[in-house]
Amino acid sequence: AVLFYSDRVLHRVLPSKKRRVCFTIWSPGTNVNSKRDVALSKDVLQFTNYDQAVQFFSQSPLQRVISRAVYSEEYLESLLECIEGTRGGDGEDAASASESVSSAEKERVVKQHNASVMSIVSKLRPLIDEFRRRKECIENEHAN
């Protein structure tokens, strides 16, 4: 079993060839998504260095917003896997379901994703660029 705060932990479900079961519990709380947590205002976004920004976003539900830009390729890949790998109600397999997803639907998902990412990046370009640079450094360290 895996338990985590989905608004604080960047996560993704990968496709599987084996049958899986997921059980999700939503538990509302008074300290989730407070106005301070989700408002991109000048007073909240005043950092003296990028480490402070990393600290803030790693503990804020706003990481969901930033992650769409920093992990843009992975996020789009995941969205496309979701629409391609869905099963039909009659038990059809993933390959058959994939054939039923139109190229127009895929294009719509890609356009919507790109518009969302560009909106985020245009507002927070220096921060996004720095997070992407750090992501690449981490990936390079793991590759070596």
Side-chain angles (χ1 to χ4, degrees), residues 72-143:
S72 177
E73 295 83 14
E74 294 89 343
Y75 194 86
L76 179 58
E77 180 183 6
S78 181
L79 288 172
L80 292 173
E81 285 172 352
C82 285
I83 65 170
E84 290 175 355
T86 56
R87 289 183 175 265
D90 60 357
E92 68 180 321
D93 65 14
S96 299
S98 176
E99 293 170 6
S100 67
V101 176
S102 71
S103 60
E105 175 66 9
K106 289 179 188 176
E107 282 182 40
R108 186 189 66 74
V109 168
V110 170
K111 281 183 179 179
Q112 186 176 9
H113 168 75
N114 289 342
S116 173
V117 168
M118 290 315 299
S119 173
I120 296 164
V121 170
S122 68
K123 294 172 185 155
L124 300 171
R125 179 162 305 279
L127 186 62
I128 298 297
D129 289 345
E130 177 63 16
F131 285 164
R132 284 180 175 166
R133 186 191 68 73
R134 289 178 180 214
K135 174 187 168 241
E136 287 177 23
C137 289
I138 291 169
E139 288 172 346
N140 290 337
E141 286 175 11
H142 288 291

Side-chain angles (χ1 to χ4, degrees), residues 6-83:
S6 64
D7 64 335
R8 310 255 184 220
V9 176
L10 185 61
H11 61 282
R12 174 181 176 191
V13 177
L14 296 173
S16 173
K17 295 186 183 202
K18 303 238 180 200
R19 186 171 187 271
R20 298 184 288 195
V21 177
C22 175
F23 180 73
T24 304
I25 298 174
W26 293 83
S27 179
T30 57
N31 63 347
V32 176
N33 292 339
S34 68
K35 187 167 184 138
R36 177 161 171 79
D37 284 338
V38 297
L40 286 173
S41 61
K42 290 179 187 174
D43 61 319
V44 172
L45 297 176
Q46 290 187 6
F47 311 111
T48 58
N49 59 52
Y50 285 104
D51 291 330
Q52 284 182 348
V54 168
Q55 181 69 23
F56 171 80
F57 283 106
S58 68
Q59 297 178 354
S60 167
L62 289 172
Q63 62 89 7
R64 292 180 300 220
V65 175
I66 299 297
S67 68
R68 288 185 183 187
V70 175
Y71 295 92
S72 177
E73 295 83 14
E74 294 89 343
Y75 194 86
L76 179 58
E77 180 183 6
S78 181
L79 288 172
L80 292 173
E81 285 172 352
C82 285
I83 65 170

